[in-house]
Amino acid sequence: MFSKLVKHEFRATRRVIPFVFLLTVFIAGMMTVSVALNLEAIVGITMGLLIIMLIAEVIITYALIVWRYYKTMCGNEAYLSHTLPVKPHLLMWSKFLVSFVWVAISYLVLAACMVLLIIIFAKGTGTTLAEIFDQLKIFWQAFGLRGHEVTVIVSIIGLFILSIVSGLTQIFFSVSLGSTSKLHKYGIGGPILVYVVLYFVLQIVSMAAMALVPLAFAVQTTEAGELSFRIVSRNMLEWFIETIRNGEPVSNAGLVGIGSYLILPVLVAVLLYATARIVDRHTSVR
Amino acid sequence: MSMIMIENLNKSFGTKEVLKDMNLSLEPGQIVGLVGPNGSGKTTLLKILAGLTSDYTGTVRIGGKPLGVETKAMVSYLPEKTYLSDWMRCVDAIDCFNDFYSDFDRNKAMEMLVQLRLDPKQRIKTMSKGMQEKLQLTLVMGRQARVYLLDEPIGGVDPATRSVILDAVLKQYSEDSLMVFATHLIADVERIFDRVIFLGFGEIKLHEEVDKIREKYGKSVDEVFREVFSCLVSL
């Protein structure tokens, strides 16, 4: 049944969301052609449009996901969704999976277009691709990342996935909780209210975890003038207080707490579990 | 065994009680008219039976099972609202039902589309409300369900279409099923009812076989309904 739910979710969403990506790619293509043909006026227009579209495509993708989830889980279409002979949490998971794919694609389109913009900008300033790579190498070296390429790439991919999962979880939780019978009287305001409260709670918890969890990046400058990073078992708040008391850092290493990245997956897991429970046990279609 | 069994069912919206300590048992093989004025709790009762509302107290069983996935597989529910996505064509909606309901008969549904003069390729967003209602009825009656719950299936259509819909319902209905038909247009549909439940202000005011009502009161169900509810309203 889950595969059928996923299939129908893709069928329902593929009519609108990919259109936004295609429009972005089309504008990027127009810009590339106009650069190749040296049509300066069109390059300016298409570049402006592309920058707007890059911001818009991610926002539009999220907006369409929110709207679709609300409509099919709490709005009129919920009359069909919630009468299908499936566990309600499977509905939620199928929507989550499909939404994840669309958001990931929207970010990949964004990244690809950013690379294209950099290449075109470099071409306009007479910089070669080799020179750009050299600059990146210097940047990489200055941040002390040489020799840690795999770790950095895996971490970036992990954070990319975590940020999408976290964003979707907050949306699904807010819409599900905000549409339960006790919040019906607020209409669409219910999910918005829950989202705002949840956002502030998560910010506070993240900041607390960043300051209090004894895990941090120690950032130091080497004699060669490069930055070096290492993970230390100290909490950022303690270091911060010492720094203020002494007027200067105890060591020459600055600390950036990373406890929030440990807490975030736990919070996401708790919220997803809570969302599934709400959908299973507190369904109350208006 | 009762197909629908309800014991001490209570449901409130805030401080307003919509269903008050309701007890009801319905056997299969009959068409039951669920009638009552607006706000009497008909839709709420059907939504609970369909599994759309969970914040109630009391016991509800369908086919001996508590409400859940198994009962959803037994129940074919037609809500008052249009629940199909507007991008869908009739065939998309039929394919969707065919995928999810093992008791859905695609050929029967396609035949019903023709009978109700609906174009299988037409998109829902281009349909009138009446056409959308006919399509939803096609989907609901296209199933060989054990329980049909129809909420005001003729509420938004013209009198000529009402007859077409009622004929289609009767044609598709299988005699070992239970059909609960909620309406306030009693005169138009009482001919198809075996039994009626008068629901008023969250309580069952009358639950009787149609023939017995006619025999006992010497009047049509519609006339009895008017009498019962005019008294209640004036009170």
Side-chain angles (χ1 to χ4, degrees):
Chain A
M1 273 298 185
F2 184 71
S3 58
K4 285 179 185 173
L5 288 170
V6 171
K7 182 183 94 177
H8 283 277
E9 191 60 23
F10 264 118
R11 280 182 72 180
T13 50
R14 74 180 179 198
R15 291 163 189 281
V16 188
I17 297 177
F19 177 75
V20 183
F21 306 150
L22 286 176
L23 185 62
T24 310
V25 171
F26 175 74
I27 294 170
M30 290 272 289
M31 188 184 72
T32 311
V33 170
S34 54
V35 167
L37 298 176
N38 263 336
L39 304 170
E40 280 180 20
I42 298 177
V43 172
I45 294 167
T46 50
M47 194 175 277
L49 276 177
L50 186 61
I51 290 166
I52 293 167
M53 205 56 211
L54 288 182
I55 301 162
E57 61 124 7
V58 176
I59 295 170
I60 292 170
T61 304
Y62 271 111
L64 289 171
I65 285 168
V66 173
W67 178 235
R68 165 99 190 139
Y69 187 75
Y70 181 78
K71 207 167 57 162
T72 55
M73 296 296 276
C74 317
N76 279 7
E77 289 179 33
Y79 280 82
L80 176 59
S81 310
H82 285 294
T83 48
L84 294 175
V86 294
K87 292 262 186 201
H89 67 257
L90 288 181
L91 290 168
M92 189 274 278
W93 283 116
S94 65
K95 289 172 194 304
F96 195 91
L97 178 66
V98 173
S99 302
F100 179 87
V101 171
W102 290 131
V103 175
I105 293 173
S106 80
Y107 280 123
L108 292 176
V109 170
L110 171 76
C113 290
M114 293 287 279
V115 170
L116 183 69
L117 277 172
I118 290 169
I119 292 170
I120 287 172
F121 182 73
K123 196 187 170 204
T125 56
T127 316
T128 63
L129 276 180
E131 284 168 336
I132 293 174
F133 279 116
D134 286 341
Q135 288 298 318
L136 279 175
K137 273 185 196 165
I138 293 166
F139 180 78
W140 195 262
Q141 203 166 327
F143 275 88
L145 300 175
R146 203 170 42 178
H148 301 290
E149 284 80 5
V150 175
T151 313
V152 172
I153 289 167
V154 168
S155 303
I156 289 171
I157 292 171
L159 287 175
F160 173 71
I161 292 170
L162 183 61
S163 74
I164 297 175
V165 170
S166 165
L168 290 175
T169 303
Q170 288 174 51
I171 291 168
F172 281 33
F173 176 81
S174 304
V175 175
S176 301
L177 182 62
S179 303
T180 49
S181 58
K182 284 181 182 163
L183 296 171
H184 269 180
K185 58 187 169 190
Y186 301 114
I188 194 83
I192 294 170
L193 181 72
V194 174
Y195 186 83
V196 171
V197 171
L198 179 67
Y199 178 80
F200 281 107
V201 169
L202 288 181
Q203 289 301 312
I204 291 165
V205 172
S206 287
M207 282 179 70
M210 192 177 174
L212 299 173
V213 173
L215 197 69
F217 268 135
V219 188
Q220 274 181 305
T221 312
T222 63
E223 287 173 1
E226 291 176 2
L227 289 175
S228 83
F229 294 91
R230 65 197 164 88
I231 294 174
V232 294
S233 177
R234 280 193 67 190
N235 86 46
M236 194 175 143
L237 184 67
E238 192 183 272
W239 166 80
F240 190 66
I241 291 168
E242 279 179 19
T243 305
I244 291 170
R245 276 194 192 145
N246 299 332
E248 59 181 64
V250 187
S251 63
N252 69 342
L255 287 193
V256 180
I258 53 172
S260 54
Y261 293 106
L262 292 181
I263 295 292
L264 189 58
V266 177
L267 289 175
V268 166
V270 170
L271 285 176
L272 279 174
Y273 176 73
T275 309
R277 293 269 297 189
I278 292 165
V279 170
D280 272 345
R281 298 187 176 203
H282 301 284
T283 294
S284 193
V285 179
R286 237 178 297 246
Chain B
M1 189 179 70
S2 299
M3 184 56 82
I4 291 178
M5 196 277 294
I6 296 171
E7 283 177 349
N8 310 114
L9 177 64
N10 288 281
K11 163 73 185 161
S12 304
F13 290 115
T15 54
K16 192 184 178 228
E17 283 184 290
V18 182
L19 298 174
K20 297 172 195 168
D21 205 29
M22 180 180 284
N23 290 283
L24 181 66
S25 176
L26 295 172
E27 308 296 321
Q30 55 181 346
I31 300 179
V32 179
L34 179 64
V35 299
N38 295 331
S40 57
K42 304 187 294 290
T43 295
T44 304
L45 178 60
L46 293 190
K47 279 168 73 175
I48 290 172
L49 293 170
L52 290 166
T53 302
S54 54
D55 53 343
Y56 59 86
T57 60
T59 307
V60 182
R61 286 180 174 267
I62 294 177
K65 311 271 182 194
L67 298 184
V69 176
E70 282 179 282
T71 62
K72 284 178 184 177
M74 288 182 223
V75 172
S76 191
Y77 170 60
L78 178 73
E80 269 183 298
K81 297 186 179 180
T82 304
Y83 60 44
L84 298 167
S85 301
D86 56 7
W87 60 266
M88 281 181 162
R89 297 167 301 166
C90 294
V91 282
D92 296 320
I94 284 175
D95 287 343
C96 176
F97 268 62
N98 200 36
D99 259 1
F100 287 106
Y101 296 107
S102 56
D103 58 6
F104 187 75
D105 185 339
R106 196 176 193 282
N107 295 332
K108 185 174 150 186
M110 293 303 283
E111 277 171 25
M112 205 171 157
L113 277 187
V114 175
Q115 193 187 340
L116 293 172
R117 296 185 180 175
L118 292 172
D119 174 5
K121 301 277 182 194
Q122 189 174 359
R123 288 203 189 278
I124 288 166
K125 67 180 163 195
T126 66
M127 290 179 173
S128 66
K129 190 170 185 291
M131 290 165 92
Q132 290 178 8
E133 285 184 2
K134 283 185 198 171
L135 172 60
Q136 290 192 172
L137 188 75
T138 302
L139 297 168
V140 168
M141 297 309 296
R143 290 179 59 192
Q144 299 285 350
R146 292 174 68 189
V147 178
Y148 295 93
L149 305 173
L150 311 184
D151 193 0
E152 301 284 3
I154 54 167
V157 294
D158 59 82
T161 310
R162 276 177 205 167
S163 297
V164 174
I165 287 178
L166 288 181
D167 291 343
V169 166
L170 284 177
K171 193 179 170 190
Q172 305 301 332
Y173 168 71
S174 61
E175 291 195 347
D176 53 350
S177 306
L178 167 67
M179 180 181 287
V180 181
F181 193 115
T183 186
H184 57 265
L185 301 167
I186 306 161
D188 291 302
V189 286
E190 67 169 274
R191 66 180 168 97
I192 72 165
F193 294 157
D194 297 306
R195 174 181 285 275
V196 286
I197 297 168
F198 284 10
L199 196 61
F201 309 110
E203 291 171 341
I204 294 173
K205 301 294 179 191
L206 182 73
H207 179 194
E208 192 65 88
E209 284 176 28
V210 167
D211 290 343
K212 284 189 180 164
I213 288 176
R214 288 185 187 127
E215 201 177 294
K216 190 171 166 186
Y217 297 94
K219 293 172 182 172
S220 69
V221 175
D222 187 40
E223 287 167 324
V224 176
F225 174 82
R226 284 169 199 272
E227 276 181 21
V228 169
F229 286 100
S230 64
C231 287
L232 286 172
V233 170
S234 62
L235 283 171

